[in-house]
Amino acid sequence: MNLSIYFKKFFNNNLCSGIILIFCVVASLLIANSSLGEGLDNFIHKEIGTPLFGLKFPIHIWINDGLMAIFFLLVGLEIKRELVEGELSSFKNASLPIFAAVGGMLVPATIYALFNSGTEYSNGWGIPMATDIAFSLALISMLGSKIPNSIKIFLAALAIVDDLGAILVIAIFYTEQIHWSYLALSAGVVVLLFLLNFLKVTKIIFYIIPGLFLWYFLHHSGIHATIAGVLLALSIPTNASNVEISPLEKLEHTLHIPVSFLIMPIFALTNTNIVFHDGMVEGLASTLGLGIIGGLVLGKLIGINLFSFIAIKLKLSKLPYNSTWAHMIGVGLLAGIGFTMSIFIALLSFKERYEIQEEAKFAILIASLLSAVLGVIILSMSSKKNKLINEDEENDFEDDE
């Protein structure tokens, strides 16, 4: 099973950006716990913009609501392209990562809820549902030819479906107060965007300008503004052809580098500035810490493999080509790297409750580290025999080119 040209670029981007993200996380932690920490905190809470039309926000809001909308635009483009022409274009291809992703969301949320139902932490049930695309794919890419290509594609598809689920969770459950007039204006812009698609308008600028208005209206409606990125993505024209490059693919290509090497590092730098203090390690044994760690490390592993096993036994799906259940266990662990998305949901879950946010971030950091180490160990141990097979596949790919 050969990797498509797109997936080769996709994994290469995630490999490099994952390394940069790791650097940014370490830098953010060092800065936060040094004399520069207070300066960084003051900087990201400084308001910029114009009060005209209500566009003056702290810098961290511009990052989390503005720049992250561009991240979700890219995720939305990837989802739509995969649905139209890629790994999710048929039920046979899409079924296993879809079932796995559903299990990987439901089981972690259930584990968290069991620990935290009725507590002040109950609103954070969405935190362990998310998988960090950049980190998880960066790590599996580092393993190179040890890993079957089909497993790399499976993890990519699973992470994309997982992100779609996280987007829906944010839109439905982490919206506080809805302002219906702005929501109606948002709906009007969405109709306009899909009308442009129906009329076969291909100039990207005619979608970007309404998309900016969509972001503004959604932000003021109370629904998290990052959803604008996904809605805009779904309206961008594409095709099922591998020959003609569609507007969607052009925009996706344009966004990959700024998102991977600018937006995500900025998010990591400004949102992982965890200040370590006495009692934080002990806090991992609290219901909040146990819910997050249990959900990400065990919940992802159990949910992904349990739902995959059921789907395969019911003959709705089959294991990825040239893979084993040991590979699936490794993938289940790597999917427990929630990091960026988990932190994002933690910020929404505990707004203005900075102490809880810090505890949640630390638990996410520990859980993601555990998942990463265990996942790499399992995949390395189980995949040595696949090295020669995948080298042959890569040679076949080069010959095809």
Side-chain angles (χ1 to χ4, degrees):
M1 183 177 183
N2 293 333
L3 283 175
S4 67
I5 294 173
Y6 164 75
F7 267 107
K8 279 182 170 291
K9 292 179 179 177
F10 187 68
F11 286 121
N12 287 338
N13 277 343
N14 280 283
L15 172 60
C16 298
S17 65
I19 294 171
I20 292 173
L21 279 178
I22 292 172
F23 173 80
C24 289
V25 169
V26 173
S28 182
L29 291 172
L30 291 175
I31 292 171
N33 291 277
S34 72
S35 58
L36 300 174
E38 186 177 352
L40 174 63
D41 191 63
N42 291 335
F43 174 75
I44 64 176
H45 285 88
K46 182 180 179 180
E47 290 193 345
I48 61 173
T50 172
L52 189 65
F53 305 117
L55 284 173
K56 188 172 184 179
F57 309 114
I59 289 175
H60 72 90
I61 295 296
W62 282 112
I63 293 170
N64 296 344
D65 290 20
L67 292 183
M68 287 301 284
I70 302 174
F71 166 75
F72 279 108
L73 170 59
L74 178 60
V75 171
L77 292 171
E78 290 169 350
I79 291 169
K80 180 173 181 178
R81 184 188 42 72
E82 289 301 304
L83 288 170
V84 173
E85 58 176 301
E87 295 301 313
L88 306 179
S89 59
S90 70
F91 183 79
K92 183 177 180 181
N93 289 340
S95 60
L96 189 63
I98 289 174
F99 284 121
V102 170
M105 290 185 282
L106 292 179
V107 175
T110 300
I111 289 175
Y112 183 95
L114 289 174
F115 276 106
N116 292 284
S117 179
T119 72
E120 61 178 328
Y121 309 125
S122 60
N123 197 45
W125 57 270
I127 296 172
M129 294 177 68
T131 294
D132 188 292
I133 289 182
F135 275 122
S136 59
L137 294 184
L139 284 175
I140 204 168
S141 297
M142 288 176 185
L143 294 172
S145 58
K146 292 181 180 180
I147 306 301
N149 290 332
S150 58
I151 281 291
K152 297 177 184 178
I153 294 174
F154 171 74
L155 178 59
L158 184 156
I160 289 171
V161 177
D162 188 287
D163 267 2
L164 178 59
I167 290 164
L168 292 175
V169 166
I170 291 169
I172 297 170
F173 298 102
Y174 288 97
T175 296
E176 296 177 345
Q177 182 181 2
I178 295 179
H179 299 280
W180 294 101
S181 58
Y182 281 109
L183 190 60
L185 289 169
S186 302
V189 175
V190 171
V191 170
L192 172 62
L193 286 167
F194 282 94
L195 179 61
L196 291 171
N197 183 300
F198 178 77
L199 295 174
K200 302 188 184 305
V201 175
T202 58
K203 293 283 187 181
I204 294 294
I205 190 65
F206 291 114
Y207 293 89
I208 298 299
I209 293 175
L212 293 173
F213 281 95
L214 178 60
W215 181 90
Y216 175 83
F217 293 144
L218 279 176
H219 192 277
H220 285 73
S221 74
I223 292 178
H224 205 272
T226 50
I227 305 304
V230 181
L231 294 173
L232 173 59
L234 296 178
S235 71
I236 304 293
T238 189
N239 55 58
S241 170
N242 292 324
V243 178
E244 182 183 358
I245 299 177
S246 68
L248 181 147
E249 289 164 328
K250 290 178 182 177
L251 182 58
E252 187 179 3
H253 176 74
T254 301
L255 290 177
H256 255 297
I257 292 200
V259 167
S260 298
F261 299 103
L262 182 64
I263 291 175
M264 297 310 294
I266 288 174
F267 179 87
L269 272 172
T270 56
N271 285 285
T272 55
N273 54 329
I274 305 167
V275 179
F276 298 118
H277 54 76
D278 293 339
M280 184 171 274
V281 174
E282 289 79 358
L284 295 175
S286 68
T287 56
L288 175 66
L290 292 173
I292 291 174
I293 296 173
L296 283 172
V297 180
L298 294 178
K300 282 289 186 181
L301 172 64
I302 295 169
I304 287 170
N305 282 277
L306 176 61
F307 276 58
S308 296
F309 179 79
I310 293 172
I312 290 170
K313 283 298 179 182
L314 294 176
K315 300 189 183 303
L316 298 172
S317 308
K318 60 181 180 180
L319 276 175
Y321 175 74
N322 194 34
S323 67
T324 65
W325 282 107
H327 292 122
M328 295 292 287
I329 291 172
V331 167
L333 286 165
L334 286 187
I337 305 173
F339 207 71
T340 306
M341 287 301 299
S342 291
I343 288 175
F344 190 67
I345 296 176
L347 297 177
L348 297 177
S349 302
F350 307 114
K351 284 186 175 179
E352 309 302 327
R353 304 186 68 183
Y354 299 114
E355 184 177 340
I356 297 179
Q357 286 181 3
E358 293 294 296
E359 292 177 6
K361 287 179 184 180
F362 185 60
I364 292 166
L365 182 65
I366 297 300
S368 296
L369 182 61
L370 281 172
S371 295
V373 171
L374 293 173
V376 168
I377 290 173
I378 294 295
L379 286 172
S380 296
M381 291 175 59
S382 62
S383 299
K384 290 180 180 179
K385 65 180 182 181
N386 290 290
K387 184 174 182 179
L388 292 176
I389 295 174
N390 278 284
E391 285 176 347
D392 290 340
E393 290 180 3
E394 295 297 325
N395 291 333
D396 290 343
F397 177 83
E398 298 297 337
D399 292 340
D400 290 342
E401 288 190 307

